[in-house]
């Protein structure tokens, strides 16, 4: 029994028409969503305030780096002093051997 041509046409249209509707309606919706998600430009007035804040942060980071360097130098100095005090002193060769 050969396939019914009306059934084939109905089957093709049942896939093609919803696909075309999805493409025709989906494309503008996707463009709208992508435009909505796009980052907006920052006004120049806000850029100047951001620039000032970044300069303050940079100065603070520099000050913190300087203090951290001072602390590390202090710790190295303290550790060296403690290691010199804790090291046992060995008697010299010319000293008495207890005999």
């Amino acid at each position: 029994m050969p396939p019914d041509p009306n059934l084939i046409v109905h089957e093709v249209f049942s896939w093609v028409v919803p696909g075309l509707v999805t493409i025709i309606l989906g494309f503008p919706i996707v463009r709208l969503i992508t435009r909505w998600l796009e980052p907006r430009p920052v006004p120049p007035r806000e850029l100047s305030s951001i620039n000032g804040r970044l300069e303050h942060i940079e100065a603070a980071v520099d000050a913190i780096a300087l203090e951290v360097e001072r602390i590390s130098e202090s710790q190295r100095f303290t550790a060296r002093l403690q290691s010199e005090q804790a090291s046992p002193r060995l008697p010299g060769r010319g000293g008495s051997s207890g005999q």
Side-chain angles (χ1 to χ4, degrees), residues 16-72:
V16 170
V17 171
L20 287 175
V21 169
T22 303
I23 291 171
I24 290 170
L25 293 178
F27 184 70
I29 291 172
V30 168
R31 284 187 61 197
L32 180 69
I33 291 172
T34 55
R35 283 186 181 173
W36 182 66
L37 292 176
E38 239 176 40
R40 290 165 184 81
V42 178
R45 183 176 37 179
E46 289 182 20
L47 287 178
S48 64
S49 68
I50 291 173
N51 191 19
R53 294 176 81 184
L54 286 176
E55 288 175 1
H56 288 288
I57 291 172
E58 184 179 346
V61 168
D62 288 341
I64 291 170
L66 183 64
E67 292 301 320
V68 167
E69 183 64 29
R70 287 180 182 168
I71 290 170
S72 66

